[in-house]
Amino acid sequence: MSRESFINRWLSKRSLSNRNSYLLLSVCFIVFGIAVALLSSLINYRLQSTNIDQSVEHRFDAEKNLKLEKLRTSVASLESMVTALAENPLTLAYIDAPSEERLQAMNNLFLMSARSQPEYMQVRYLDRSGMERVRVDRRRGDINPALISPDRLQNKSQRYYFAETRHLPARQHWHSKLDLNRENGALEQPIRPTFRVATPIYVDNRFAGMVIINTEAKLMLKELTRAVDFEVLLVDGDGEVLVSPNSAQSWSRYLPNRSTLFDMMPALAPAILAGSDSRNTQVHSFSIDELFDNGEKLKVIMTPTRESLTQMMEANTLAALLIAGSVILISFPLSWVAAVVPAHLQNRLQDTLGELRRTTERLDQHVITSSADAQGRITQASSAFCETSGYKLWELKGKTHAVVRHPENPLQQHQEIRQALSNGLSWRGELRNLHKEGQEYWVDTVITPELDSKGQVIGFSQVATDITDRKAIEKMSVTDVLTNVHNRRRLDQLMLAEMERYQRYQQFFSVILMDLDHFKAINDSLGHQIGDEVLVQVAQSMKENVRKVDHLGRWGGEEFLVICSGTDEASAGLLAEKLRALIEQMPMATSVTASFGVAQTLPGERLNQLIKRVDQSLYRAKEQGRNRVVLASGASLS
């Protein structure tokens, strides 16, 4: 039975049981009904008039808090992106040692960042002299941004934003004024509101450049000035109007023949601009200068709309008339009177349930959530969860989250989650999952146990955010662009971690250094494209034939290095011999062989000494005729 049917049946039963009481009450109310009706209507009207001011106050507070939260999120997101680009290893690598390859990687990084946010108009890196080194532009109406060619890059050392940003401390942010975008010195038409955020880059405590993002502020301003019950103005500390419900009054500082706040509200303007917050029966305002921190002293001014005030007044009048009419007409069967309140409550209940249902639907569509029972079996999943994972809800119900868990996730992470949840604690972290079709995706998730009154775990809930794009950017910084294996920077990090583990726990490891024989001749005779194809095929073959616990990367040029965790020199030599035979037999555009050097860590040895020994082993393999494996201990396996 539905809730609505239950309420209707309940009302019907109540009406029948109280019919006799209605007759007695009718006689009493007829005597004093008219007097009570007039008096109560007058009192109610007065009270409701006071409630209008309170209602306006409550609605203003709700709108203010909502707008501040949305604005704080927007500005923080933009600052986070600027910081992420400034501190990205690809950016720092280029600053440390500029090269065409590193510049290309940095170009790809900035281009991907611009693609991830449709409102980004321009993403740039300026070096310490103010010269643009990377610039990505998105023209109005274009979905995809474009990388600007080097010949069109400009020196911005004389621009105010460069001068102001270069004097900021590290990890601080510069905010521009909210203004209109200019093209070739003239305002872009139609007008295009713009907001810019920049941060300096410091290397060895020296200014090394800056990252700046220009973002189209149209959506941000729309969220800030949109309200159902208020007309909203955005003004600066001089009373200039930035945004008005009437577009013909907006941007008075930049466009001619526009009214200022002093023209619109001559009596109230000085008081509004003087304080941080201002409230009276007509106008409410609050400052957002702390969020923008650009010296404009921005204020949001909210005036109740005539429609909302009229609506509230009409509601008050109607309430007074209803009270009067109810008391006057009390002689009618009280069953009708008794039905008014439940009917009114039912309508409000239905409205509330409808709003709750719409909110739930929005959350279901946009937030990745799921619920599970005490055994971890999925009982519910949002539409966003299903869309991200590729599974239908009926395919997920009754199964555990292992259905989407990536098989290569570390066992230790799974144990950490189980330990935290079994102790009644929440767990937060990044999880690598697998789409139904086999694609990999990443989520930043919070898993929370649900407890009964006795503190026993009766289920689990999960809320997650898709971070696949962010992880892709992180992967770019540690991956060789051509061969899709670890780059030199990542290999250095991994070898340092292995060496620290060896020095602390005596967990030995070995390294294999491989060099393709006569690779220069391949490039010279067949061309660099064939040479690149050979490198890609060799890298893929090696990647498929090393263990999952091993780390393969491009050491440089035609050299590759394998870090063999927990492996002695003899076992690593056998793996090297296997790889050598595979490379020799690979079907490629030209016959290719490779030479290998192998070395195991020795007690008291430093990392550079280990690298020197494996390099010497490789050199001996070259001297002995190539296409062979030579161990640092002196043995040759070929």
Side-chain angles (χ1 to χ4, degrees), residues 236-256:
D236 64 17
D238 296 327
E240 298 288 350
V241 178
L242 277 68
V243 182
S244 167
N246 180 1
S247 59
Q249 296 177 333
S250 300
W251 305 105
S252 62
R253 182 180 294 278
Y254 305 98
L255 302 175

Side-chain angles (χ1 to χ4, degrees), residues 355-621:
E355 181 61 31
L356 179 60
R357 183 174 59 253
R358 288 189 290 272
T359 301
T360 302
E361 290 173 353
R362 288 193 292 268
L363 291 174
D364 180 72
Q365 293 172 2
H366 301 291
V367 180
I368 301 173
T369 62
S370 64
S371 300
D373 60 19
Q375 287 71 44
R377 295 187 295 264
I378 297 174
T379 58
Q380 192 58 258
S382 66
S383 299
F385 186 105
C386 295
E387 181 179 354
T388 303
S389 66
Y391 290 93
K392 302 295 184 183
L393 180 58
W394 62 266
E395 295 176 298
L396 294 171
K397 280 190 173 182
K399 298 180 181 178
T400 68
H401 284 82
V403 70
V404 297
R405 187 182 305 127
H406 199 286
E408 295 181 6
N409 278 352
L411 178 62
Q412 180 182 359
Q413 184 185 52
H414 183 59
Q415 293 172 341
E416 289 176 358
I417 296 174
R418 291 177 62 89
Q419 182 66 32
L421 297 181
S422 63
N423 292 332
L425 303 175
S426 296
W427 181 89
R428 177 168 187 171
E430 297 177 354
L431 292 176
R432 180 165 57 159
N433 288 338
L434 205 61
H435 190 274
K436 181 181 179 181
E437 301 299 328
Q439 304 96 319
E440 176 183 292
Y441 68 96
W442 285 82
V443 292
D444 185 355
T445 185
V446 177
I447 306 174
T448 304
E450 297 176 0
L451 310 177
D452 61 13
S453 58
K454 299 179 181 180
Q456 299 297 315
V457 176
I458 59 175
F460 308 92
S461 62
Q462 179 189 45
V463 180
T465 303
D466 191 331
I467 57 170
T468 306
D469 289 343
R470 193 188 78 191
K471 298 298 290 187
I473 293 176
E474 292 177 359
K475 183 178 179 182
M476 285 180 58
S477 66
V478 296
T479 303
D480 181 67
V481 176
L482 176 63
T483 60
N484 200 32
V485 296
H486 292 317
N487 60 18
R488 176 66 176 268
R489 176 184 293 273
R490 182 57 176 164
L491 286 173
D492 288 341
Q493 294 171 347
L494 292 169
M495 281 197 293
L496 182 61
E498 287 286 349
M499 182 59 74
E500 290 175 350
R501 189 179 299 112
Y502 171 69
Q503 293 170 348
R504 179 174 297 183
Y505 305 111
Q506 287 73 52
Q507 181 178 331
F508 57 84
F509 68 100
S510 297
V511 292
I512 302 172
L513 184 60
M514 181 275 277
D515 183 79
L516 293 176
D517 297 329
H518 304 296
F519 186 76
K520 184 177 184 301
I522 295 176
N523 281 333
D524 293 341
S525 61
L526 300 179
H528 287 275
Q529 183 174 355
I530 298 298
D532 288 348
E533 291 176 1
V534 168
L535 289 175
V536 171
Q537 289 180 270
V538 168
Q540 183 61 29
S541 178
M542 294 179 68
K543 186 176 181 181
E544 293 172 354
N545 286 278
V546 298
R547 301 175 304 172
K548 289 185 178 180
V549 296
D550 296 334
H551 302 290
L552 167 67
R554 188 179 179 188
W555 190 247
E558 65 272 18
E559 291 184 333
F560 292 85
L561 186 137
V562 184
I563 305 171
C564 303
S565 303
T567 306
D568 59 23
E569 187 178 87
S571 299
L574 294 176
L575 173 59
E577 177 59 21
K578 175 185 175 182
L579 297 175
R580 185 201 64 77
L582 285 171
I583 293 172
E584 185 179 31
Q585 298 168 9
M586 284 178 60
M588 289 187 285
T590 181
S591 59
V592 177
T593 61
S595 300
F596 292 79
V598 182
Q600 177 187 333
T601 49
L602 297 177
E605 185 178 50
R606 293 191 298 272
L607 183 59
N608 63 333
Q609 294 172 320
L610 173 63
I611 297 302
K612 182 177 181 181
R613 287 196 301 111
V614 75
D615 189 66
Q616 290 172 345
S617 300
L618 175 61
Y619 182 75
R620 290 199 300 273

